Amino acid sequence: MTHPTELTIAGARRALAAREISAAELTQAHLDAIAALNPRLNAYITVTPELAAAQAAEADAALARGEAGPLAGIPLAIKDLFCTAGTRTTAGSRILGDFVPPYESTVTGNLLRDGAVFLGKANLDEFAMGSSNTSSAFGAAENPWKRQGDDTALVPGGSSGGSAAAVAARLALGATATDTGGSIRQPAAFCGVSGIKPTYGRCSRFGIVAYASSLDQAGPVARTVEDCAILLGSMAGFDPRDSTSADVAVPDFAAAVARGVKGLRIGIPREYRVEGLSPEIDALWRQGMDWLRAEGATLVDISLPHTKYALPTYYIVAPAEASTNLARYDGVRFGLRENGEDLKDLYERTRAAGFGDEVKRRILIGTYVLSAGYYDAYYVKAQQVRALIKRDFDQAWAQVDAILTPATPTAAFGRDENQDDPVAMYLNDVFTITANLAGIPGMSVPAGLDGKGLPLGLQVLGRPFDEETVFAVGGAIERAAGFHALPALRAAA
Amino acid sequence: MSLDTATVRRVASLARLRVEEADLPRLEAELNGILGWIEQLQAVDTQGVEPMAGGGAQALRMREDRVTDGGIQEQVLANAPDRAGAFFAVPKVVE
């Protein structure tokens, strides 16, 4: 039979149900793979082998009793931004380096309810701020893919770089992640796996370390579109503990994956043909259009005129919310403390020692744009442009059922590239960021390789709370692309 | 709009971030780079556009005004860097 780490979640569920493999064996295979590869990839900040073994034993017992939940025995990586009761949760920051939450996030609680096994906590950019997973206080994570004939360490993308690297390298069957400006979709594309940021409000934010609360949304990373749908089905759902959680029914996402695209109208936004778009990515985008047309979809040329203002809008809204959210790290109630001469000095020294450079930059920008005299010129202006970006999409939905774009402007880059200029790094999110500002679902699906053998993704955007259509289009792309390339670094098959 | 050194120092103080004098020029350049890039938003006509504050289209729910948890003092204090009995401890703030 297939090596356990090569299974899909759907395949593992069948194998577990048929008792071809035990949850204990499946979990151990992943723990062995982590022991072998994590020292190199640094995809996990914390590995929890004893906890995973205990959860796997529970899953085996539930399977034996015939009472197994939909994810019984499925080993997952949990982005280290989700609070896990009794397991250290760092947000990739020194300031939370020893933080052990006394409570469980709603999303991880839902996964545990359904029988999942947690292998450990996945690496990320500090406080989920970044596109390369190089800002983690626990060291950079490495992309398991390599350029042909070149051993340069490439970034896995970010902020959910550890989640995507772990799934790509077969160190987990799937992972939780979060996406504030592209932090699920960009790393998924860089690592040749799938990931979906659902509609704002679909997954509860309770217990997820906050970055920018009006943009943050949890979602899964996995190796197939169907596996993403299975995971999202467990993660999603109304939660009274998050005031922005949407009280809407969770449909059978997995059933939508095979639905096909016949009769669907797919929008192609002309503003996404940005200056400097790599010819390879442009060609892949055209290939994606051909695939969907061949499957019976109609392509519609659309305009989203405010697209070019999305990144600067984001870099006002997100830092403003971040500066507010991160005010709680004061060295008093939890987290790192650096003593000072008085309370203000204690705050200032604690925060200077606890936060990394990118987090400090965003706190400073956010504080500035919210400060007296600048609030209207920056923050209110950005909120107004955000409304226009959302209106662009609202108008597009009158013409189309989903939108197809590239996921990223380039393939994965080297660890030392793009580090000198913060704005150059921000441009990574040019295609993904609009979905966060508008609150709509977006999915990245691996669709091809560039000339150097690195994976490239296509992105599908959908109407609010219509993840089913996104999954249907994503499934069609996955079937047409037949993406079976494998990363250079992965658990022995 | 561009930041001068004094403004960077003031914003850092507002944000409760200790910044060494030697780091101010670098921060000033980085922040001005970002703010200069953001400046392009001024080109958008937003006359009469209602600012979008939240992430979703739905209005916030009201909830019943009642206590939903409590009695978890030890859990609340479990991660405190310093405590005195049932309290968080901080340096003396009043003489």
Side-chain angles (χ1 to χ4, degrees), chain A residues 12-27 55-75 114-117:
Chain A
R13 292 207 298 189
R14 284 189 293 272
L16 286 162
R19 315 302 294 274
E20 291 164 13
I21 189 170
S22 69
E25 290 164 337
L26 184 59
T27 293
Q55 290 168 335
E58 266 179 56
D60 278 327
L63 284 157
R65 288 196 307 270
E67 293 167 1
L71 291 176
I74 301 298
D114 287 348
V117 171

Side-chain angles (χ1 to χ4, degrees), chain A residues 100 200 214 238 242 245 316 331-335 337 344 348-349 351 361 364 368 377 381 383-384 387 437, chain B residues 3 11 13 15-16 18 30 38 41-42 44 46 49-50 52-53 55-56 58 61 79-82 88-89 91:
Chain A
V100 179
Y200 185 80
S214 79
F238 174 63
D242 170 4
S245 171
I316 293 175
V332 173
R333 289 160 302 149
F334 51 84
R337 169 182 292 190
K344 182 166 189 263
E348 292 186 342
R349 286 177 188 274
R351 292 161 63 80
R361 264 196 292 276
L364 291 171
Y368 178 67
K381 183 77 181 182
Q383 287 183 309
Q384 289 175 312
L437 290 165
Chain B
L3 299 186
V11 170
S13 171
R16 299 293 185 265
R18 183 186 169 91
E30 285 174 357
I38 283 170
L41 287 188
Q42 302 309 325
V44 186
T46 52
V49 176
E50 186 66 27
M52 179 175 169
Q58 299 184 330
R61 293 182 312 279
N79 281 283
D82 189 15
F88 295 108

Side-chain angles (χ1 to χ4, degrees), chain A residues 332 337, chain B residues 73-74 77-78 80-90:
Chain A
V332 173
R337 169 182 292 190
Chain B
Q73 192 179 65
E74 276 310 311
L77 287 161
D82 189 15
R83 58 184 284 187
F87 301 96
F88 295 108
V90 295

Side-chain angles (χ1 to χ4, degrees), chain A residues 98-100 102 200 214 238-240 242-248 306 308-309 311-313 315-316 331-335 337 343-349 351-352 355 360-361 363-365 367-368 371 374 377-378 380-388 390 422-423 426-427 437 439 465, chain B residues 1-3 7-8 10-20 23 26-27 30-61 63 74-83 88-93:
Chain A
D98 298 316
F99 178 64
V100 179
Y200 185 80
S214 79
F238 174 63
D239 177 13
D242 170 4
S243 65
T244 60
S245 171
D247 194 359
V248 295
H306 295 89
K308 73 169 180 172
Y309 299 111
L311 273 168
T313 299
Y315 278 97
I316 293 175
V332 173
R333 289 160 302 149
F334 51 84
R337 169 182 292 190
L343 198 52
K344 182 166 189 263
D345 195 39
L346 178 151
Y347 294 152
E348 292 186 342
R349 286 177 188 274
R351 292 161 63 80
F355 294 136
K360 286 177 188 167
R361 264 196 292 276
I363 289 174
L364 291 171
I365 290 281
T367 305
Y368 178 67
S371 65
Y374 300 102
Y378 285 115
V380 174
K381 183 77 181 182
Q383 287 183 309
Q384 289 175 312
V385 180
R386 183 176 182 184
L388 293 174
K390 180 173 183 297
V423 173
Y426 298 169
L427 295 178
L437 290 165
F465 298 104
Chain B
M1 281 174 269
S2 123
L3 299 186
T7 309
V8 176
R10 187 178 62 84
V11 170
S13 171
L14 282 173
R16 299 293 185 265
L17 275 175
R18 183 186 169 91
V19 175
E20 304 300 334
D23 290 333
R26 176 183 56 86
L27 270 178
E30 285 174 357
L31 298 183
N32 277 321
I34 297 167
L35 288 168
W37 171 69
I38 283 170
E39 206 60 35
Q40 57 182 297
L41 287 188
Q42 302 309 325
V44 186
D45 180 5
T46 52
Q47 194 73 38
V49 176
E50 186 66 27
M52 179 175 169
Q58 299 184 330
L60 291 179
R61 293 182 312 279
R63 68 169 173 81
E74 276 310 311
Q75 288 183 49
V76 170
L77 287 161
N79 281 283
D82 189 15
R83 58 184 284 187
F88 295 108
V90 295
K92 199 169 182 180
V93 284

Side-chain angles (χ1 to χ4, degrees), chain A residues 191-337:
Chain A
C191 293
V193 295
S194 293
I196 181 167
K197 178 202 92 71
T199 310
Y200 185 80
R202 181 64 97 174
C203 289
S204 169
R205 291 181 298 105
F206 177 82
I208 300 174
V209 177
Y211 159 22
S213 303
S214 79
L215 301 161
D216 296 342
Q217 184 54 207
V221 170
R223 291 198 291 267
T224 68
V225 173
E226 183 187 21
D227 285 359
C228 283
I230 291 169
L231 288 177
L232 184 60
S234 275
M235 294 166 70
F238 174 63
D239 177 13
R241 290 179 298 182
D242 170 4
S243 65
T244 60
S245 171
D247 194 359
V248 295
V250 177
D252 183 353
F253 294 126
V257 175
R259 201 188 261 180
V261 296
K262 200 170 170 51
L264 288 183
R265 300 161 303 165
I266 308 293
I268 308 299
R270 66 182 75 115
E271 290 82 4
Y272 281 57
R273 189 153 284 118
V274 294
E275 210 177 306
L277 181 65
S278 119
E280 286 175 318
I281 289 184
D282 190 44
L284 184 77
W285 192 12
R286 288 172 196 283
Q287 175 73 73
M289 297 177 208
D290 290 343
W291 287 332
L292 295 177
R293 198 187 289 112
E295 292 297 315
T298 308
L299 300 179
V300 182
D301 180 35
I302 61 166
S303 176
L304 300 167
H306 295 89
T307 298
K308 73 169 180 172
Y309 299 111
L311 273 168
T313 299
Y314 176 88
Y315 278 97
I316 293 175
V317 172
E321 295 183 16
S323 72
T324 311
N325 273 323
L326 272 58
R328 76 190 66 181
Y329 302 101
D330 58 5
V332 173
R333 289 160 302 149
F334 51 84
L336 182 80
R337 169 182 292 190

